[in-house]
Amino acid sequence: MLDVRGLHAYYGKSHILRGVTLQVGAGEIVGLLGRNGVGRSTTIKAIMGEVEPRGSIKFKGREIAGMKSHDIARLGLGYVPENRDIFPTLTVRQNLLLGQKSARQTGRWSMEDLFDLFPALRERADTEGGVLSGGEQQMLTMCRTLMGDPDLIMVDEPTEGLAPQLVETVAELLNEMAGRGLSILLVEQKLTIALRISARVYVMGHGEIVFEGTPEDLRANEPIRREWLEV
Amino acid sequence: MEVFAFSLFNGILYGMLLFMLASGLTLIFSMMGVLNFAHASFFMLGAYLAYQISAYVGFWPGLVVAPLIVGVIGAAVERWGLRPVHKFGHVAELLFTFGLAFVIEEVVQLIWGKVPMPYDIPASMNFAAFSWQGLDYSAYRLFMLVISVAIFAALFLFIAKTRIGLIIQAALTQPNIVSALGHDVPRIFMWTFGFGCALAGLAGVIGGNVLGTEPAMAITLGPIVFVVIVIGGLGSLWGALVAALFIGIVDNLAISYDLSFYPLFAVFGVERDVTGIMQDLVRLTTASIAPVLPYFLLVLILIVRPRGLFGTRDV
Ligand SMILES: Nc1ncnc2c1ncn2[C@@H]1O[C@H](COP(=O)(O)OP(=O)(O)OP(=O)(O)O)[C@@H](O)[C@H]1O
Ligand SMILES: [Mg+2]
């Protein structure tokens, strides 16, 4: 589904990604882990075309490096940014509407589906996004991307700063997505849900992938965890 | 009372015309972050095109076709003029729009010459729609008011209620996210720019035959439109509406009533037949200061509220 090889990216002169290689298969949940500032967000931004990528990025067999973000999104790649960038002055319903790529909604998710999954959003459908709680905003950002019916979704730190119960809700939504056939690239710093729901995980350190394997492999690999994950 | 009603009517009309220009300008400002100095030039283009079209096929086709042509020209200017300049920064963009205003003026003079065009009110509407308290209300002016109010209502519904309107609103503040959701932001900007120019063009079509269609019309109106969006608060459509109506009404009242400033000076014991420098001040009337009134209000507002009436950012 997604095949990234030798990906480099720069912010001005600083070399942030130094040859990242990773794959996400159809219907697979893949975790991308690592400490603060190692370049996880930059990796997704480069895949999405928000940061200029060097290297090869293939999505559904097509080279997308160098394409514009909106064309990449239209190929079926969804992106949920890390800081819950909802449109604060628009209502919940309007935020969801913005995720739709054409005037009519077709595909896996309808607004009603998403409201069924998150009754809290239905209750607040006509309130401004800016007044929602952090957890509700996180659900809204994910649902907004789902309205565009992506085949692969990249989610950047969806559980950051959420109470344990809400973290569970996020995990359930991710499983629900996978159940409907989506592939997921999940960026996390904490291991909590990533190890539980991912089929495979990558660990990133200083702009490179330093570990690749199943969650069991990672649990067993104490040196990697100590060097690249635990604080 | 009848003078008040009449100048109120004309004030609202002038205000709505200003709003047609100001709304497009403020939308364009929100997306580019710089003022478009050529905006009033599109107003002028609208008037000239409408004149030319009306000379061949009459007023009504021009009402539709002229704004469309202006809109397409505007979109083309954005696509092949402003967009390439964008990477050189705001100053370059500002200079580009400044130069564009001159280019449009020169082109207009090249094609139509320096003298005013005989662009007249369509004969079918050149009569008094009704009289009230001895004053005639022209049918054409009534028509202008209907058109401008209809445009205003359509614009607000479009921006607030349609999906495209929402995309535009969101793209103004968070273009990256809107792109990542699969919307072509540069193309949205191009058509928003064109749409703003088309609105200015429409103002030219319906206003050119009342205000006069001549090469200086852009330079005359342009600064006032800037004043409107700064007073209203840069980027705010509501602000633009309120400020446009305010300036339109104040301007018309000042001219109609032509009040003397003498009573103000009388308070300080100044005689009516005083001589010297005070003589000019005593003779000053509201009509004589009407042309500078908008700028006076601008300074006043900026002192009290630096971000304008409804603005969110400082000028
Ligand atoms: N816009 C930017 N300009 C310059 N440097 C940046 C910019 N954004 C990020 N960086 C730098 O790039 C590096 C990688 O950032 P990135 O956001 O990808 O990290 P991350 O792994 O997502 O971690 P976190 O989200 O916890 O900050 C960091 O050192 C950061 O300081
Ligand atoms: Mg990050």
Side-chain angles (χ1 to χ4, degrees):
Chain A
M1 191 105 225
L2 180 69
D3 187 359
V4 177
R5 280 172 204 276
L7 180 64
H8 291 255
Y10 300 78
Y11 280 119
K13 282 212 174 87
S14 50
H15 194 170
I16 304 292
L17 299 186
R18 301 156 181 269
V20 172
T21 294
L22 60 84
Q23 284 84 34
V24 182
E28 197 182 23
I29 304 186
V30 173
L32 180 59
L33 306 170
R35 289 211 183 96
N36 276 333
V38 292
R40 294 161 301 150
S41 299
T42 308
T43 305
I44 338 192
K45 284 182 185 160
I47 295 172
M48 208 58 213
E50 279 188 17
V51 170
E52 195 189 323
R54 307 241 180 103
S56 160
I57 308 167
K58 284 215 171 78
F59 179 58
K60 295 182 186 169
R62 226 173 122 167
E63 185 61 56
I64 59 166
M67 278 174 61
K68 300 233 161 62
S69 309
H70 63 89
D71 290 325
I72 295 173
R74 282 184 175 268
L75 285 178
L77 197 53
Y79 168 43
V80 184
E82 66 189 317
N83 28 23
R84 293 165 204 168
D85 278 315
I86 48 148
F87 304 108
T89 57
L90 301 182
T91 66
V92 167
R93 195 187 301 279
Q94 288 173 328
N95 267 279
L96 290 174
L97 214 52
L98 273 164
Q100 235 168 273
K101 287 175 186 142
S102 54
R104 294 205 162 276
Q105 177 63 335
T106 50
R108 298 185 186 86
W109 313 86
S110 70
M111 206 180 283
E112 278 309 306
D113 280 352
L114 296 168
F115 283 160
D116 287 343
L117 286 170
F118 299 109
L121 289 185
R122 177 183 283 127
E123 275 164 36
R124 319 200 70 173
D126 296 306
T127 33
E128 284 188 3
V131 304
L132 299 186
S133 69
E136 288 166 336
Q137 292 191 1
Q138 183 60 50
M139 300 311 158
L140 181 56
T141 350
M142 291 202 280
C143 290
R144 186 179 63 189
T145 304
L146 290 178
M147 287 293 284
D149 194 25
D151 298 316
L152 188 154
I153 190 166
M154 302 188 289
V155 194
D156 200 348
E157 300 209 44
T159 63
E160 197 196 351
L162 294 189
Q165 201 190 337
L166 285 164
V167 171
E168 271 323 297
T169 318
V170 170
E172 279 163 31
L173 177 60
L174 291 170
N175 278 324
E176 172 75 31
M177 292 179 194
R180 298 199 190 193
L182 266 74
S183 313
I184 303 174
L185 180 60
L186 171 65
V187 168
E188 275 291 351
Q189 188 189 349
K190 288 168 298 198
L191 302 179
T192 41
I193 70 166
L195 288 191
R196 184 150 48 92
I197 68 174
S198 303
R200 284 187 305 119
V201 292
Y202 292 93
V203 176
M204 228 176 144
H206 302 316
E208 284 166 319
I209 300 292
V210 292
F211 170 87
E212 177 190 348
T214 64
E216 290 70 44
D217 296 340
L218 183 58
R219 279 204 191 91
N221 196 330
E222 165 96 41
I224 284 282
R225 287 211 322 268
R226 198 162 352 99
E227 187 171 0
W228 298 109
L229 291 171
E230 280 143 23
V231 258
Chain B
M1 183 59 209
E2 61 276 10
V3 178
F4 181 75
F6 192 65
S7 37
L8 193 65
F9 171 78
N10 280 320
I12 292 174
L13 185 56
Y14 181 45
M16 289 307 288
L17 211 59
L18 285 177
F19 174 72
M20 241 189 256
L21 282 150
S23 55
L25 184 59
T26 217
L27 272 183
I28 290 170
F29 171 81
S30 306
M31 62 192 212
M32 299 200 313
V34 296
L35 285 171
N36 172 18
F37 272 102
H39 199 66
S41 308
F42 291 100
F43 158 77
M44 172 161 77
L45 267 184
Y48 273 93
L49 286 171
Y51 158 72
Q52 203 59 59
I53 295 168
S54 71
Y56 292 127
V57 288
F59 176 78
W60 298 104
L63 182 65
V64 179
V65 176
L68 283 181
I69 298 177
V70 175
V72 170
I73 294 175
V77 162
E78 199 283 336
R79 176 65 186 80
W80 289 287
L82 268 170
R83 204 182 296 176
V85 167
H86 179 73
K87 59 177 169 293
F88 301 110
H90 280 351
V91 175
E93 289 177 292
L94 214 60
L95 285 176
F96 176 86
T97 68
F98 211 70
L100 182 66
F102 283 106
V103 170
I104 292 179
E105 191 178 321
E106 288 300 322
V107 169
V108 162
Q109 292 196 17
L110 211 66
I111 300 177
W112 287 284
K114 286 188 199 304
V115 291
M117 290 292 109
Y119 175 36
D120 293 324
I121 292 168
S124 60
M125 278 187 293
N126 200 358
F127 61 93
F130 63 91
S131 286
W132 193 61
Q133 306 245 4
L135 290 169
D136 285 346
Y137 287 75
S138 121
Y140 184 71
R141 284 181 178 245
L142 216 57
F143 162 79
M144 284 170 75
L145 191 63
V146 169
I147 290 267
S148 51
V149 171
I151 288 289
F152 156 73
L155 180 68
F156 268 87
L157 285 178
F158 174 70
I159 299 271
K161 297 286 175 217
T162 66
R163 204 177 62 94
I164 306 280
L166 292 177
I167 297 174
I168 293 175
Q169 277 186 61
L172 295 181
T173 48
Q174 285 142 303
N176 282 348
I177 302 173
V178 175
S179 294
L181 291 173
H183 306 298
D184 187 347
V185 171
R187 202 178 66 195
I188 293 166
F189 278 8
M190 177 178 91
W191 286 117
T192 305
F193 195 95
F195 179 69
C197 292
L199 281 182
L202 179 64
V205 176
I206 65 173
N209 43 16
V210 173
L211 301 172
T213 301
E214 32 109 18
M217 65 192 290
I219 290 188
T220 318
L221 204 61
I224 301 189
V225 179
F226 284 143
V227 169
V228 166
I229 71 167
V230 174
I231 289 185
L234 288 170
S236 162
L237 275 181
W238 280 113
L241 177 71
V242 171
L245 286 174
F246 183 60
I247 289 200
I249 292 169
V250 166
D251 190 71
N252 271 277
L253 287 179
I255 293 174
S256 314
Y257 280 93
D258 197 15
L259 295 177
S260 164
F261 281 102
Y262 172 68
L264 212 62
F265 296 106
V267 175
F268 299 101
V270 179
E271 302 286 329
R272 190 177 281 276
D273 49 6
V274 70
T275 51
I277 192 169
M278 284 306 285
Q279 186 176 20
D280 295 330
L281 284 177
V282 167
R283 284 186 188 160
L284 216 54
T285 66
T286 53
S288 63
I289 65 153
V292 293
L293 214 53
Y295 307 102
F296 180 68
L297 289 172
L298 172 70
V299 173
L300 214 64
I301 292 279
L302 286 185
I303 292 171
V304 185
R305 260 187 83 83
R307 46 189 57 183
L309 295 175
F310 294 82
T312 45
R313 45 184 141 184
D314 285 343
V315 177

